[in-house]
Amino acid sequence: MEAAARRRQHPGAAGGPGTQPGASSLQARHGSVKADEAARTAPFHLDLWFYFTLQNWVLDFGRPIAMLVFPLEWFPLNKPSVGDYFHMAYNIITPFLLLKLIERSPRTLPRSMIYISIITFIMGASIHLVGDSVNHRLLFSGYQHHLSVRENPIIKNLKPETLIDSFELLYYYDEYLGHSMWYLVTEGQIFILFIFTFFAMLALVLHRKRKRLFLDSNGLFLFYSFALTLLLVALWVAWLWNDPVLRKKYPGVIYVPEPWAFYTLHVSSQH
């Protein structure tokens, strides 16, 4: 009763009959401005970005290197390699860091969308783990990644020939489906996805800049990381632009050779 009396005494209170026209929209705009101010002043998450960078270089980039460095007798061909254990750690640590980063964000997507994205990421990385493990172990049997599955000497003579279809299915899971769900952007199969994402980010940044809304330090770090990735991929493509063997392996407009194809063509073949 007292609360109702106070509302009658202050007709301008929220939802009261004396509310001035446009007051609710003004409050909404004020709330949006406050959210933008909070986003701009968000602290730089040095710890999370450091862990992201470290685990990517060690667990992802260093994964195939560790597999080649460690003695084969320590990790038999019918058991997971050291690179597989790196990959397992990556599949656990990366989604955890992503969730921690989302928790600190002043603005987030709907929770259901976040869950679906993280689940998709983990599923794609897990698919890639299995396919990549088998493909890398095939290296020790003479498999050449710069050739297609059917052109490989150790594959094309398999009997029955339906076994070749199984290896092509494995390659599809590893290099196409797994990469797409994992959002791995530095290989040619899904470069279109990366470039689309980058230009969508660029368009959003320019659009918000016209409204005097700017990225905070975390957004800038992510945007510049994408830009640096695009530059490095461009340099990689320019370096291998006239390679006839890789051109045959990766025909079409989008030409981004895989590192493993370069390795079996230009590194392992010289030893």
Side-chain angles (χ1 to χ4, degrees), residues 200-212:
M201 290 172 60
L202 180 61
L204 181 62
V205 168
L206 295 177
H207 175 70
R208 291 177 65 84
K209 189 175 181 180
R210 285 198 219 98
K211 297 183 176 182
R212 310 293 297 172

Side-chain angles (χ1 to χ4, degrees), residues 182-228:
W182 186 23
Y183 309 130
L184 187 65
V185 297
T186 54
E187 296 191 21
Q189 301 93 337
I190 58 168
F191 184 73
I192 289 292
L193 177 62
F194 165 67
I195 203 70
F196 174 80
T197 303
F198 175 75
F199 282 113
M201 290 172 60
L202 180 61
L204 181 62
V205 168
L206 295 177
H207 175 70
R208 291 177 65 84
K209 189 175 181 180
R210 285 198 219 98
K211 297 183 176 182
R212 310 293 297 172
L213 299 174
F214 303 95
L215 295 176
D216 68 352
S217 55
N218 298 285
L220 287 172
F221 180 82
L222 183 62
F223 180 76
Y224 290 146
S225 296
F226 267 68
L228 179 60

Side-chain angles (χ1 to χ4, degrees), residues 228-261:
L228 179 60
T229 300
L230 182 60
L231 174 62
L232 293 176
V233 172
L235 293 174
W236 171 262
V237 171
W239 182 35
L240 300 173
W241 186 258
N242 294 318
D243 192 302
V245 177
L246 295 179
R247 272 288 181 181
K248 181 181 178 182
K249 173 70 184 293
Y250 306 101
V253 179
I254 303 299
Y255 170 69
V256 184
E258 300 172 69
W260 272 115

